[in-house]
Amino acid sequence: MKVRVDPDRCQGHTLCAINAPAAFELSDVDGHATAIAGDVPSDQEEQVREAVRSCPERAISLS
């Protein structure tokens, strides 16, 4: 599973990084998230799914 953050939708709420800190990096400037490259390790998949559910802007997608 891969995770992606739409930079046009992300508003920097940081909930994704709170729910799945190993899967997201936050900008020091504005708090906007980017997904860490590569596949999500299987032991982190549920945390990433929770991050997707918690995003108020629906900026996170899985593939």
Side-chain angles (χ1 to χ4, degrees), residues 29-53:
V29 175
D30 57 13
H32 285 78
T34 55
I36 295 172
D39 290 328
V40 174
S42 60
D43 64 334
Q44 295 176 19
E45 287 182 1
E46 186 52 40
Q47 291 174 326
V48 171
R49 284 189 177 94
E50 182 57 33
V52 171
R53 289 188 292 268

Side-chain angles (χ1 to χ4, degrees), residues 4 12-15 18 22 28 31 37 39-40 47-48 55 62:
R4 180 183 178 281
H13 296 287
T14 73
L15 295 172
I18 291 169
D28 291 335
D39 290 328
V40 174
Q47 291 174 326
V48 171
C55 181
L62 300 174

